[in-house]
Amino acid sequence: MTHLTTILIPKRYLMPSFIRRLVVLLLLISSFPASATTYELPDSPGDSLIGDPSASELYATANDEDTLLDIARHYDMGQLEILLLNPDVDRWLPGQGTRVRLPSQRLLPNTPRKGLTLNLPEYRMYYFPRHAEGESGIVKTFPHSIGRVDWRTPLGRTTIIRKTENPVWTPPASIRAEHAAKGDILPAFIPAGPDNPLGLFAMYLGVKGYLIHGTNKPFGVGMRVSHGCIRMYPEDIEELYPEIETGTPIYIVNQPVKVGWHQDTLYIEVHPTLAETEAEDENGTIPKQTEKKYLARLELALKLIERANNNQMPVLDGATLKKALQMHNGIPVAIYKRPSMTEAGPAPSLIP
């Protein structure tokens, strides 16, 4: 399969300022999935945008045999993520030559930049490897699945308490009963191997019964399909597993709206809220009757914007903010730029 992908270059290897780009486009010919996307952390600790804000939109080109799910896995995206970015593209038959949009920037969640952060509405984790003082830090991102509405993934801070390669699975009585009610009798013990639902690597959280693990059903990555555990693509958990130490902190958060700076520009990134994801159609489209949910999302966004701007409401690009809240497709968009010292004083905020 021939696709356009993203390579991120550490700035210490890029000398002239005009070529200090985090995103470089290359044409790759490969049948193997891409590994995690790695970004440099912002120069300023107060900034949150990762990726190159000056880069144009990124696209892959589908081949005749591709599905959107094939392309999602190749570019380390989850299923809902690629559907939201491409609402007009057929999930199963995009068609030869169809352009498929890919993400090129992200906003970091509002958590400590260490260990692992899992932002559940985004279906994505952020891993902050340790780095020496004075060195540029990096962040790696991976898509993942989360618990179904009736088996919710818990929020809060925890740690990795142990790790296991080639895990065996002893299904809890509750899960065996659920399967039995559907006529599917689970064995009491599932041995290690490629058919094990835990995959080949598992990391156990301090919250009893919850794990980060691989899967034997990779097309479910990026959806609400688990019994509360965090499922990753097999190639992603294989990459992450050796880097994570026992005791690594984990922050599991619910941040459907993220707001952050890049230099003097304020960005917003909006994802479907967990409560309404189940009520949306398969492409993540918001039904017309969800005006109350939009207003709640707007209220949350305005609070975050004000907080990010030293508790003052800035002069917003109201139309762009409204569109971001309606689209809720996870793309960071600029909604405000700090005026220079020579520009006129503040005007009333434009609120959609």
Side-chain angles (χ1 to χ4, degrees), residues 76-90:
D76 215 36
M77 299 169 63
Q79 183 170 162
L80 182 59
E81 180 180 22
I82 201 166
L83 293 176
L84 287 169
L85 280 177
N86 299 276
D88 298 323
V89 178
D90 188 277

Side-chain angles (χ1 to χ4, degrees), residues 215-251:
T215 180
N216 61 343
K217 297 179 179 178
F219 284 149
V221 170
M223 299 181 69
R224 301 193 76 162
V225 294
S226 78
H227 290 91
C229 287
I230 302 298
R231 298 182 187 175
M232 299 178 66
Y233 285 129
E235 59 274 11
D236 282 350
I237 188 73
E238 183 176 4
E239 177 180 343
L240 181 65
Y241 183 88
E243 297 192 38
I244 300 298
E245 301 174 352
T246 300
T248 295
I250 302 176
Y251 304 89

Side-chain angles (χ1 to χ4, degrees), residues 12 16 52 67 88 91 96 121 139 163 169 177 198 201 213 219 227 255 257 274 292 319 323-324 331:
R12 57 184 174 273
D52 184 3
T67 69
D88 298 323
R91 183 193 315 219
Q96 178 70 37
V139 56
K163 301 167 54 180
W169 186 41
L198 301 185
F201 302 90
H213 61 80
F219 284 149
H227 290 91
Q255 296 180 10
V257 179
L274 291 178
K292 288 185 178 179
K323 183 177 180 180
I331 294 295

Side-chain angles (χ1 to χ4, degrees), residues 68-116:
L68 271 186
L69 308 191
D70 294 326
I71 296 172
R73 186 173 180 183
H74 184 84
Y75 289 102
D76 215 36
M77 299 169 63
Q79 183 170 162
L80 182 59
E81 180 180 22
I82 201 166
L83 293 176
L84 287 169
L85 280 177
N86 299 276
D88 298 323
V89 178
D90 188 277
R91 183 193 315 219
W92 303 113
L93 294 171
Q96 178 70 37
T98 299
R99 294 207 314 162
V100 178
R101 191 175 182 186
L102 309 173
S104 56
Q105 300 100 30
R106 302 183 187 277
L107 287 174
L108 294 173
N110 183 22
T111 59
R113 296 178 185 178
K114 61 180 181 179
L116 287 168

